Amino acid sequence: MAASLSRPCFISLHLPYRQGWAQHLANTFRFQPVAVRETLRVRQLALRRESAIFLVNERLAPASTSSRDFLYDVDPQPTLGTASNVCFEVNDVPGLCKQLQSQGCSLLVPPTDLNDDGGSVTYGVVSSVVGNISHTLLDRSCYRGPFLPGFQPIQGATSATGDGIKITHFDHITYVCPRGGARAALDWYQRCFGFHRFLLNPQERPAEGYVLGGKGVGMLLLALQSAQGTPAHGCKLVFAESLSQNGTNQVDTFLEQHGGAGIQHVGLCTTDIVSTTRALQQQGARFFTPPTTYYSQGGKAEEIQEAGQDPHMLAELGILLDTTVPGDKGQLGTDATESPSREYLMQIFTHPLFSEETFFLELIDRRGAPGFGEGNIRALWKAVQVYMDQQQ
Ligand SMILES: O=C(O)C(=O)Cc1ccc(O)cc1
């Protein structure tokens, strides 16, 4: 039987020795430092925005032979910044680790108990079949502290409000897989972790996946939805694979610059993409913007207006909007709690966060639409292509 996982508890980022990047995430994206763990060799900082938590791991000294420097994680020994671990909360860590091992998964950290004044937790770490990704499985049902045992709470850390940034949780995590590897990754997560297939778009054929063709694009997308939660509220995993025949695109570029498969981006759910984008831009966050023709061609301005949004405002900020057919919620669409007359979603993508063209963030504001917009993905693709051409 496969495990039944819920929304991620945290996503872990690793930075090579001597890169003061945690501060950048805190300052630019206004994530609040909530807890820290520091040893002579490493610093681990938990940064939070409502239920979205990034654990930023930095080396303070060159890598040692000890692979257990980082708590709740393993050391991917990065030569560049990488998002390499996703932690899920589960009920029975030892039972699940045993089961995963019997399914051929490699156990990187066996079930381990840790405790402090706030109570106790149990965790283990398993290796994913995709690139450098690992998963921490964590039971913190007996823990009442602010983050996790081994971490010191950061005094005065309050939840930020009134700054215009409305980020609530991780909406999805997009993996870049090697060519020919997306289907195997999808099968592994279904089999081992009990994720369910999720159709990205009404046009997707289940047997093939969502193929984006056309000028220069060439990408296959497959998606899963966590077993707990509805399409609108659970976390999705998206597997992307390049189908491009003619040289580089953003998926190939990721593979090349990251040195293999891994997490390409994390979608942060926002309840107000306009105020969030504006506030983050003021802090210095940089976003990809589509060509201005995006807003004037093919009835886009009318589509935006019909959705009740202001085309000028979206154009000024570079926010993308895609409308989906009302009532069509993909394969798992049974969530009856949100049924606005028009379902749409708005997205915007940041520039890569590290110095390489690898990991980036996305803001996603879902107004009833649980899938992904083909128009938005194409617009992102074009904007990235323009950016990459400018970099050369
Ligand atoms: O739209 C999204 O957020 C996706 O996750 C789909 C996607 C996947 C890979 C890309 O390079 C760009 C977009």
Side-chain angles (χ1 to χ4, degrees), residues 171-176 200 212 219-221 238-241 249-251 264-267 345 347 349 360 362 364 366 371-373 376-378 380-381 384:
D171 177 88
H172 65 274
I173 303 169
T174 297
Y175 292 12
V176 161
L200 285 141
L212 269 102
M219 174 161 70
L220 167 69
L221 296 176
V238 180
F239 302 91
E241 175 184 327
N249 57 45
Q250 63 187 278
V251 173
Q264 181 213 38
H265 75 262
V266 170
L345 77 161
Q347 291 165 282
F349 301 85
F360 59 90
E362 167 187 342
I364 183 161
R366 296 187 179 279
F372 292 84
N376 289 359
I377 300 173
R378 284 186 192 283
L380 165 71
W381 195 274
V384 172

Side-chain angles (χ1 to χ4, degrees), residues 184-203:
L186 180 101
D187 291 346
W188 188 85
Y189 278 91
Q190 270 183 301
R191 185 166 45 86
C192 295
F193 284 177
F195 279 79
H196 298 306
R197 184 76 189 275
F198 172 78
L199 298 184
L200 285 141
N201 190 288
Q203 278 84 52

